[in-house]
Amino acid sequence: MKLAMIGFGQAGGKVVDKFLEYDKRTGSEIVRAAAAVNTAKADLMGLEHIPESQRVLIGQSRVKGHGVGADNELGAEIAEEDIDEVQGAIDSIPVHEVDAFLVVAGLGGGTGSGGAPVLAKHLKRIYTEPVYGLGILPGSDEGGIYTLNAARSFQTFVREVDNLLVFDNDAWRKTGESVQGGYEQINDEIVRRFGILFGAGEVKEGQEVAESVVDSSEIINTLSGGGVSTVGYAEEEVEETSSGGLLSRLRNGEENDELDTAHTTNRITSLVRKAALGRLTLPCEIEGSERALLVLAGPPEYLNRKGIERGRKWLEEQTGSMEVRGGDYPYRGSGFVASVILLAGVTNVPRIKELQQVAIEAQDNLEEIREESEENLESLVDDDEDELESLF
């Protein structure tokens, strides 16, 4: 799948930068074009792989390149005012070669959480290609203002995109981890999952063709219908032989294709279960998912149609969905077999309900604090009975 990726804000820019690095390292060629948009000049300068000509600094007249200070209302205003500057970078994207747009943003800050929904709305108005969002939720320990930003941005963003893929930092940050190290790890996790998902179906010259091809239309159909999506992932290291044959401990030097097939099928089924029931990018109950897509990636000798079909049927039973697509992605030299599951249209998401509840409380508290602050200031200034005359 060929994507035009636009990173909005600090987190969005870093993730898109990481996608480009992944593309160069794996040769997957998912990112057909990339851009980064920010109100903070320093964040744009810190990017390594996005071309400088595709880094757009907005809001210079208002914030002078210093960011919006976690004010996502200001972030949204600036994005609307300077949308023509953003469009200037998009104009250089060969849209006829792109399957979809992906707008990536952290939802807790100011620039990304405010600007990403504005950009998504703008892109949908102009282009016929699908516009997807990849929204990153802040950890619950990051503070009330970030939770409030995320809740407001989430409900706006999900309405403006064709589908919102969500990654929840709260489920991935390890205790005692440094902030920098934590975000590096999280960005790696995001790119690995979505890299395999969007890379499926891309066949280069001399590369094996999948038995059951997953192409961009399968992904688009799974994401159609809007709503929220989450991705599950599981992998297992394997050894590849130079002859391409299967190294199986069960063989014991004897040729036993039937045993190998059964072993491969069981391994695939196990990986599918681990991916669906393990740590999702957005933890949720998988039952009730409207649509799902299963991709098995790895050396071709470790993939078989029977295992994928069995995994797909199991996923149908677990989700209760009749729309479960599946296929393989031959990936020679990977050193692992990976199962990636895209669950679209999920509704039973405790984290989102909790986020909205905490945000409502934070909003009420902020209003109380503001009112109290105004009263305190008045009592401080007007405390003296002998009134002083104001200068003007």
Side-chain angles (χ1 to χ4, degrees):
M1 191 163 180
K2 295 280 187 277
L3 295 169
M5 285 193 187
I6 301 139
F8 219 114
Q10 184 187 38
K14 282 187 174 177
V15 169
V16 172
D17 212 46
K18 200 81 169 172
F19 264 111
L20 283 171
E21 187 267 327
Y22 173 87
D23 248 9
K24 287 171 187 171
R25 181 164 43 84
T26 62
S28 56
E29 297 174 7
I30 303 160
V31 189
R32 182 62 191 84
V37 184
N38 212 317
T39 56
K41 192 175 183 180
D43 291 342
L44 290 174
M45 287 169 70
L47 301 173
E48 294 175 28
H49 303 282
I50 297 171
E52 283 192 32
S53 60
Q54 292 297 93
R55 302 179 199 178
V56 185
L57 183 64
I58 58 171
Q60 290 185 74
S61 61
R62 300 203 38 191
V63 296
K64 313 289 189 269
H66 299 305
V68 296
D71 182 345
N72 63 356
E73 283 186 19
L74 179 57
E77 281 173 30
I78 287 172
E80 282 175 351
E81 287 167 13
D82 291 359
I83 200 70
D84 288 345
E85 287 181 47
V86 181
Q87 183 60 47
I90 294 163
D91 284 340
S92 65
I93 293 171
V95 176
H96 61 283
E97 295 176 19
V98 163
D99 296 310
F101 288 95
L102 183 67
V103 180
V104 187
L107 303 187
T111 303
S113 72
V118 172
L119 176 59
K121 185 177 184 177
H122 171 78
L123 292 171
K124 282 194 74 176
R125 198 176 72 241
I126 295 175
Y127 301 102
T128 55
E129 286 76 16
V131 178
Y132 304 127
L134 172 50
I136 301 153
L137 298 179
S140 53
D141 59 349
E142 289 183 45
I145 186 68
Y146 298 101
T147 302
L148 178 57
N149 282 350
R152 292 181 72 192
S153 179
F154 174 87
Q155 68 177 26
T156 311
F157 205 8
V158 76
R159 284 198 296 262
E160 300 299 344
V161 291
D162 290 297
N163 200 292
L164 182 58
L165 302 144
V166 182
F167 192 98
D168 179 16
N169 276 355
D170 218 32
W172 293 85
R173 279 284 297 278
K174 292 174 189 155
T175 52
E177 196 169 39
S178 74
V179 173
Q180 183 60 34
Y183 289 132
E184 281 293 321
Q185 179 67 30
I186 283 166
N187 290 349
D188 283 339
E189 297 288 357
I190 292 171
V191 171
R192 185 184 300 129
R193 281 155 178 70
F194 291 102
I196 290 175
L197 174 67
F198 292 125
E202 288 299 324
V203 180
K204 298 178 199 69
E205 206 172 319
Q207 188 183 318
E208 288 91 345
V209 178
E211 279 192 45
S212 180
V213 176
V214 175
D215 59 18
S216 57
S217 65
E218 307 271 17
I219 300 169
I220 289 167
N221 288 336
T222 304
L223 292 171
S224 68
V228 175
S229 293
T230 182
V231 174
Y233 179 88
E235 70 172 47
E236 187 180 321
E237 286 186 13
V238 294
E239 291 182 68
E240 287 181 75
T241 58
S242 55
S243 62
L246 183 65
L247 273 179
S248 170
R249 285 192 297 274
L250 297 174
R251 270 194 170 187
N252 295 323
E254 295 173 17
E255 284 295 328
N256 191 335
D257 289 342
E258 207 172 294
L259 195 58
D260 276 346
T261 304
H263 179 60
T264 306
T265 302
N266 291 338
R267 171 183 258 151
I268 288 171
T269 312
S270 172
L271 274 175
V272 171
R273 292 183 184 201
K274 279 182 192 169
L277 304 175
R279 202 157 38 157
L280 299 168
T281 59
L282 175 65
C284 67
E285 296 296 328
I286 71 170
E287 190 183 346
S289 302
E290 290 175 17
R291 299 166 302 281
L293 174 67
L294 164 66
V295 177
L296 262 297
E301 62 268 23
Y302 284 91
L303 308 175
N304 71 17
R305 190 188 292 271
K306 191 176 177 184
I308 294 163
E309 196 52 39
R310 193 187 282 181
R312 196 185 63 75
K313 280 184 178 164
W314 177 84
L315 205 50
E316 262 183 17
E317 290 165 13
Q318 295 299 306
T319 58
S321 169
M322 296 302 289
E323 274 192 76
V324 180
R325 297 167 174 87
D328 59 311
Y329 173 26
Y331 189 172
R332 191 167 288 290
S334 62
F336 61 83
V337 175
S339 167
V340 181
I341 293 171
L342 169 64
L343 298 169
V346 296
T347 50
N348 191 351
V349 192
R351 173 77 169 112
I352 297 297
K353 290 171 185 168
E354 176 206 323
L355 187 81
Q356 287 166 335
Q357 189 55 48
V358 171
I360 289 165
E361 288 169 15
Q363 190 167 266
D364 293 343
N365 289 342
L366 280 171
E367 282 168 14
E368 278 178 33
I369 290 164
R370 280 191 194 118
E371 284 170 18
E372 201 176 303
S373 177
E374 283 169 21
E375 285 171 16
N376 290 343
L377 180 62
E378 276 178 38
S379 67
L380 176 70
V381 173
D382 300 337
D383 220 19
D384 200 326
E385 287 179 19
D386 302 325
E387 275 195 36
L388 293 167
E389 285 185 21
S390 179
L391 279 174
F392 50 83

